[in-house]
Every structure is written in C-alpha cells, then in structure tokens.
Amino acid sequence: MDSRTGLPVVGMVGGGQLARMTHQAAIALGQSLRVLALDPSDGAALVASDVRYGQHTDLAALREFSAGCDVVTFDHEHVPTEHIRALAADGVAVYPPAEALLFAQDKRAMRERLTELGAPVPRWRPVTEPDELLEFGTELGWPVILKATRGGYDGRGVWVVSGPTEAAELVGTLRAAGTELIAEERVALRRELAVQVARSPFGQVAAYPVVETVQRDGICVEVLAPAPRLPEEVALRAQQLAIDLATSLGVVGLLAVELFEVIGADGEPALVVNELAMRPHNSGHWTIEGARTSQFEQHLRAVLDYPMGDTALTAPVVVMANVLGGPDGGMSIDERLHHLFAEDPGVKVHLYGKQIRPGRKVGHVTVLGDDLEKVRARAVRAAWWLREGQA
Amino acid sequence: MDSRTGLPVVGMVGGGQLARMTHQAAIALGQSLRVLALDPSDGAALVASDVRYGQHTDLAALREFSAGCDVVTFDHEHVPTEHIRALAADGVAVYPPAEALLFAQDKRAMRERLTELGAPVPRWRPVTEPDELLEFGTELGWPVILKATRGGYDGRGVWVVSGPTEAAELVGTLRAAGTELIAEERVALRRELAVQVARSPFGQVAAYPVVETVQRDGICVEVLAPAPRLPEEVALRAQQLAIDLATSLGVVGLLAVELFEVIGADGEPALVVNELAMRPHNSGHWTIEGARTSQFEQHLRAVLDYPMGDTALTAPVVVMANVLGGPDGGMSIDERLHHLFAEDPGVKVHLYGKQIRPGRKVGHVTVLGDDLEKVRARAVRAAWWLREGQA
C-alpha cells in the first residue's frame, strides 16, 4: 500500500505504451503505476512519477523493483518464467503467474496445452529438422506456416514456406541459429477476430465483445468493435472459449485470444485459436473510449482482485486504427495533430511519446458512432493524417 | 517543444486534482504535463513525471518553472496578476492572460465588468463600511449576501446577512481584517446551472452542454448533464452568454460560468451570472466519460491553440457526484472501492490521491445511462459507498 493514499502499488515490468496507458488508468483509481523501464525515453517513463530502471531479464533488478509493490505485472511477455517463479517464491504477488504466462511466451507449449484441452487449433507439429517440415508440407500441401516458438510479434518470427526447397533452407538456417520452431497448417481464413477477457485471482472472469482485427503485412492496422456481421452464436462461442482458456490456464489479468474465422466442414463459421497474449493488447485499445471499462483499468482491477468492471460498448460501433510512423514528410507530428483536429473534432488520439520511425506503432486513434462504414473511414483517415500529413 | 517527442510542453501552476486529471489528458496527446506543486503529496505530484516545486506567489519560481514550457496555465486562480503580466512581458505564453484572469480572481472587478457588458447579474454594490451594507439591505430587504472579493471557494468567503445588527458587526470585523467586500441581492433561485466553454488564442470557442449543479452547504455535490427539463431556448441563451463572456473578457482556456436559474418578471426562466472560473472546473468533471472531449483535453487544446474537440454528450444522461471525505469509519478507501465495484460494475471512479479528511473532496464518480433518476441514484449511492462504506 502507498501510505500517502491508502491505495495499492502496482508495479509493471516494461515501460512501453501499454504501461503508459495503464498509468493513465491507475491515476483514476487513486494509484500511480510503478514502472520498470529500460530507458528514460520509454513511453511510460516519460509520464509516470515512479520509474525504476533495469533489465527485465535481471532477477536482482526484478527483486529490487518488486519490493514495496502490492502486485507485479507485465507490459510484455519477455520476463523469464524462472524469474517469475523466483519472485513468487519470495512472496511477491506476480500476475499472470509463470505457469500461465508460459503459454503466451512459447507457441509450442501453447499448442500442446490447447490440443490437450480440446481447443480449436490449426494442425501443427514441432520442427527440429528440415525433414519434419518437408513431411508436414507434403502431407498438408504447400504452403505451410513456420513459426519461431518464442519472441515473434507484428509478423516477425513467422514465415510462409512455399515448398520443399525453401523449407530445407529456412529450417537449416533457423535451427543453426538455435531457433525453436513449430509448423502450422495455413488456415483458409475469412478474417481475424480477437476476444479479451480479464480474470481475477478470485476467479471472476469478464469478457469483452468480440472484435475484428484487420492486419496488413502482419501488423494490426484496424480493430472493429463489435466484429461486424458476426452471428451472436459464434460471438458467444468465442467469449466462452476465452473464458475457458483463462480459467484452464490459470490466467490472472488480461488474456487476449487471437482467432481465425474459417468456414468449417459444415459450411458454417468456425473458430481457430491463433495466438494468446496475457497483458493489455493492441486489439483492446478501442476500450479506452469504446467500453465502459478500459482494458487498462480492467487489467489493474484483475491483478488487484477488485471486482471486474462493465465491459459493455459505449457506442454501437467503435473503430481503432493504429498510427504507424511514415516517411519523413517534412511536417511535424504536432502540425499533423493540428490539421487532424481541424478535420475531425470527434476523433480521439493517443500518442505514445515515441520517436517516429517508418512502420513503428507510434499511437492510435479511436472513433465512435452508429454507422460502421462512416466510423471506419474517419478512423482510417485520422490515422493517415497523423502518418502522412498533407503529403 | 519536448525534443524527445516533438510535442509541446504545457506547464500547469498548482498540483491539485485538476492538474492530476489534466496530466491524464496530456498523456493521450503525447505530452507530459509539467507541474508546479507545493508538496510531493499533491495529487498531481504523485502521478506526473515532471514536477517542480515552488510557491505560485514567487515570481522567481514562476520564471524558472516557465523556462522550456511552450505554454503556462493554472490549476487554480491564485497566481497574482502582476506575476502573470511579468511572465508575459518575458515572452512566456501564459493562459488565461492576466487581463482575463482578474475577473475570476476578483468578484468586484467581475461584477463591474459584467455590468458594463450588460450581462445578467444580481443587484450588487461594493461595501467598504457598515453603512453601505445597511443601506443596501434596507433598500433590497434582508437577508442580503456579503462576499469577500477574493479567495473564497466552496462556500467560504460568502455570508448570508440576516439584518442590520449582523451587517454592522460582520462588516466591521471583516474590514478590520482588510477584507475587500461586495454585497449582492439574495436571488430567489430555482436551481444552479453551469456552462463551460473553451476558447483558443485564435478565437475559436466551443461550448459544452448546460448542466445543473446541485449544492449542499455551499459545496457542489452532484452535476447533472444535460440540465434536466431546461428549455432548449434557455440552454442556447446560456451557451451564447458564456461564448460572449469568453470573447469579451479575452479568456484563453476553459471558462466555467456558474448561473442561477430564476423566474423572471415575465414568469419565464431567466439566468443570472453567479461566478466565473477560468480553468478545468468541478462542474465539468462529468466530461471525462460523458463528453466526446473531456474538459481537461479541451483546456490543453485551447491553450495550445489546437482546434477544439467535439463537446457532444456520449450518453443521454450523465451524473457526476463528488466523493467527500467522511468520518473515519474503520474501513479503508481500498476496501470501500472493492465493495463499490462489486455493487456497481459500471460506475467510473476518480480518486485524487488525497488524505481523507471530513468534508474534503477526495474524488468523484460518474455514471452514464438513459434514465436520469436511475443514473442519479447510482451516482449518489457510489459516492456514498466511497464515503461511508457499509457504516
């Protein structure tokens, strides 16, 4: 507890935009997020009062950081599980626990566990040598997907393998570099969906509406909430799946389940689990204005074992668009903001305090309304204004 | 400009809850509010990264604070106008300017200027000796209102004077203490209203919907947005009045116009200006969730000369209730929060990080919905849970 306020201290390992936005939510709850950052220029370090510095791979730094925190949680999934176990053994409340976080860190462990649980997953197999991928591709037909089991994000660590020659070369190169791999069926997807739930230590789980995530070059560019034209029955199935997974895996905090919507053998929509994330997630940024409780507040409520907040939409349609750094067009981000605000007084902007580099997520925009096409066009246009200016 | 982000630095003098909530809004705009606080336990000092310490009455401290700020603004109205003029003469962009802020600092100057402008005000006069108040009370009939021209808030600095004996005593005592005074007619009010506008240096003005403010013992306890059963024509008149005042007085940033709704000589509702505030204001806390652009973001946009944001309501009915410190009932604020969240998952809570003292504003709650009576009951109940717990 913070003796000045009588309210808890949550420590978040990692100082990126997720910690930055979690700090905003913490302020409303009377708290101030304690952040373990790498650098004073990290997005959260720029705005939070209680910032410590250290590597998330350094157990001594994690121990020092945790002292005086009521709960420790994460802005990313890169803290080694052995360090999380060591903190827990010290008596620190660390959420999500190592046993759960493993399934967001290691795609092979995730696929194995989900297969055991009977959750819908693509056909897959571990790959330790080229022949295993050749066999898999021959059996399923090319192309197939090859994934590094750890460390990938925004399309990195994922390869579409077109045939035997590429398979042999790629597996050889990656295995020589020590990369652990799995192969997956290339799913004939209609679109990508995501569903977020938050679970508390007590076991309460709250599910957000299912959203559609629009990807370009492996990067999420838009999120449409709720997912348009999704049959109620499928939406309920997706929420139930996420609730079941959060419970089975022992998640505490947020769980984002990224899903493929496919056409099943019966011609009806079916769902396949793509990835899991156990933290606030890009697919939930729309909740800041678009849900009664933002994912950032919900994550804090979950890890603190507060009762969960209302996840209802605040408008019929909500669209989030990521702002990616564009080429240097001679117009500053501040000028772009002026023009955008003149263009559309209703768009909500979130900038992360990052140096702008081409393709880097430097912020997001959210638009709310009644008509999907209009709302989406406004969000896309706003993201474009911030990226390109008038170029 | 902050060289790390390419975005402006706004400095706010004063580290209370208004600066705390302005910092939250600044984060979304890619900024980090620079705060001039008195103490590390100030609400904003607990949560902002860039906190300086100094007295708002110390010109040297203000000058040092202003260096490197793109704009300087205020969380309260207590900075001496001569200091604001000195900063402006140094070339600092200080908003609102001294010429405008005077009318929020000094009730006599405000009454004089509004009278000149033909704005609706109660009958009033300056009082420098007891006989002037006696004459005023005799002319209008007792009771009358006596006000200190400076420094009052939350009912302090305002006296209801019942008759000649009390008048003579009170004026004698206050004048002996050097207090400047005005007398005002005691208006037969139906209720209190407030309207906020934001004005940029460019001259753009955006008006929020008119709200009803519910007072108890001189303290605002609830705000109902929009003001229930207010004829559209009266609402428009109130907004036009606030726009005209912001323009005539040269306000930059937010202006809150507190109004009395009275029954005019014609039997129709009429408006009388009570007070002016030039900063984010308690009557606008509902805008955080209840308007498309919060008053805190709007104040930043105004002082930075960004185009104003959309002021539309996000729900048909929004009710804000202040959380006042209660007697020590043995239950911590953290426990109260648990119970409240279990009671009502949809209420939005804002705690200011303050030590709890009886009667002190330590936070507020906001509820949104369709039905005024239900929404209001939930907000009142939530504020009660945080104040009293289960006592």
Side-chain angles (χ1 to χ4, degrees), chain A residues 43 173 271 356 361:
Chain A
T173 307
L271 301 171
I356 294 182
K361 284 181 194 166

Side-chain angles (χ1 to χ4, degrees), chain B residues 362-383:
Chain B
V362 297
H364 75 266
V365 295
T366 305
V367 179
L368 294 88
D370 297 312
D371 180 288
L372 176 62
E373 292 318 311
K374 286 182 191 160
V375 168
R376 187 173 180 180
R378 285 172 61 199
V380 169
R381 196 174 163 83

